[in-house]
Amino acid sequence: MAKIVTAKAHTNIALVKYWGKKDADLMLPQNGSISLTLDHFYTQTSVTFATQLTADEIEFNGQRLTAKKAARISQFLDLVRQQSGQTAYAKVVTENHVPTSAGLASSASGFAALAGAASRAAGLQLDLTDLSRLARRGSGSATRSIFGGFVEWHAGHDDASSYAEVLQDPVDWDIQMIAVVLKATQKPISSTAGMARVVQTSPYYPAWVQTAEADLKRMRQAIAARDLQQVGQIAETNAMRMHALNLSAEPAFNYFTAETLTAIQAVTDLRSQGVNCYYTLDAGPNVKIICAGQDTDVIKTALQQYFEPEQLIVAKPGPGITITEN
């Protein structure tokens, strides 16, 4: 009987963003990035290769996906088959505990979990670096979700040199994020399409790559110093520069909603009142607030003027991937 392998991977939120690819096939980014893996949001995926299957079967949150919707997953499974010599089709069962396509990095945890489960089920015994390289081929940010805590993805120049590694895990100081979940709906333009448009049309793109490299150096130092204020300030500036690129593209686009701006203003107001908190955003409307655990109550109380309590989710530093066979 074919073995079933289950992997669990947590999402990560980039503190220094990657925004733009230099090789879309290999998913090589234009610049490196640094993220924090979170405990609250994760994907759990089981994979088994079975000779009796006549096509890949993909089940997502209890629903069987059509071949069209499953195409990206099947392409990734083809890569695993190519690397392992496995010839059978796969049954994939995924449970995603992340709002999909809303800027909460669901593809990061999704492809990290798929890489872990599928590679092991196909007979590969990859170390974490090679698993990171493999996950990258499904979704760039998935390369970071292989690891827990603070993680850096080295941009690299080819398949071998583009991978993630741990900067700090476990995280032994008081830092967390509060996710302000505004709407778990499809975004106006996918990350892939948005990045490509920015790289091709924004006159400011070369400056982004330069400043991102400087941000990486500063962020490494801030994490090593366990300096929440520096981590937050660098992350906030980096995020707004990324979103400024989107506004400078042709045609321009953005992921903000009115509620996004409300959350940003609330964080800015709290900081002016002496609360040490900062915001970051990915390709979606949701705002993530970087703060200390001791300030959770005061931040949530302030935000509950504008948002329902269930929209405010506290997430602490999370673990790396786990893989089990049964």
Side-chain angles (χ1 to χ4, degrees):
M1 175 132 178
K3 66 181 172 186
I4 301 171
V5 178
T6 301
K8 181 178 181 180
H10 290 73
T11 194
N12 70 79
I13 299 298
L15 303 169
V16 176
K17 314 289 188 191
Y18 117 78
W19 197 238
K21 300 181 179 84
K22 59 187 171 194
D23 185 321
D25 290 332
L26 289 176
M27 293 285 205
L28 301 182
Q30 295 270 3
N31 61 275
S33 55
I34 290 174
S35 63
L36 179 62
T37 300
L38 300 178
D39 63 351
H40 189 88
F41 304 107
Y42 66 92
T43 304
Q44 187 162 298
T45 298
S46 296
V47 177
T48 184
F49 288 92
T51 51
Q52 66 269 31
L53 292 175
T54 55
D56 290 323
E57 288 183 11
I58 318 294
E59 187 181 298
F60 183 84
N61 287 354
Q63 299 286 316
R64 174 85 177 269
L65 295 188
T66 62
K68 184 179 178 184
K69 283 193 171 178
R72 189 175 166 194
I73 294 170
S74 282
Q75 285 170 358
F76 187 81
L77 291 168
D78 286 343
L79 187 65
V80 173
R81 282 186 277 260
Q82 182 187 326
Q83 288 192 15
S84 65
Q86 172 64 255
T87 55
Y89 289 107
K91 180 174 175 62
V92 178
V93 179
T94 288
E95 288 176 25
N96 208 18
H97 299 264
V98 191
T100 305
S101 298
L104 278 169
S106 58
S107 63
S109 57
F111 276 99
L114 182 63
S119 62
R120 187 74 63 86
L124 293 170
Q125 294 287 336
L126 301 181
D127 63 23
L128 292 177
T129 302
D130 285 335
L131 200 52
S132 174
R133 289 190 185 97
L134 176 61
R136 189 197 75 235
R137 301 289 295 275
S139 168
S141 52
T143 197
R144 299 186 306 248
S145 275
I146 299 299
F147 301 98
F150 289 103
V151 180
E152 179 169 3
W153 174 15
H154 302 288
H157 54 83
D158 58 11
D159 183 49
S161 57
S162 186
Y163 59 90
E165 66 178 349
V166 170
L167 287 177
Q168 191 181 94
D169 183 40
V171 177
D172 58 1
W173 51 291
D174 186 11
I175 185 169
Q176 64 178 24
M177 289 191 188
I178 301 173
V180 187
V181 183
L182 300 180
K183 56 175 187 176
T185 57
Q186 204 72 17
K187 46 198 176 191
I189 178 171
S190 73
S191 304
T192 301
M195 282 184 204
R197 187 184 298 178
V198 160
V199 173
Q200 288 160 12
T201 67
S202 171
Y204 308 126
Y205 195 76
W208 159 261
V209 176
Q210 277 187 323
T211 56
E213 287 303 320
D215 287 346
L216 285 172
K217 183 178 179 182
R218 291 168 62 219
M219 184 62 81
R220 276 186 226 112
Q221 292 169 343
I223 290 166
R226 291 155 173 75
D227 186 335
L228 174 63
Q229 183 177 354
Q230 272 295 101
V231 168
Q233 284 178 345
I234 298 163
E236 187 172 291
T237 302
N238 181 269
M240 293 308 267
R241 284 177 179 156
M242 178 193 119
H243 287 279
L245 285 177
N246 302 339
L247 296 174
S248 70
E250 189 177 331
F253 63 97
N254 83 87
Y255 295 105
F256 293 4
T257 64
E259 285 187 306
T260 304
L261 298 175
T262 297
I264 285 174
Q265 189 60 52
V267 173
T268 305
D269 290 346
L270 279 163
R271 198 160 64 233
S272 71
Q273 295 157 23
V275 181
N276 199 15
C277 59
Y278 305 84
Y279 59 81
T280 186
L281 306 92
D282 291 300
N286 297 301
V287 175
K288 277 75 69 173
I289 301 168
I290 302 161
C291 60
Q294 65 185 28
D295 293 325
T296 304
D297 290 344
V298 69
I299 294 168
K300 287 180 77 172
T301 299
L303 288 166
Q304 281 172 21
Q305 296 174 61
Y306 314 104
F307 307 107
E308 297 299 320
E310 59 269 19
Q311 289 181 277
L312 308 174
I313 301 172
V314 178
K316 296 188 180 298
I321 193 170
T322 56
I323 304 172
T324 53
E325 297 183 22
N326 54 345

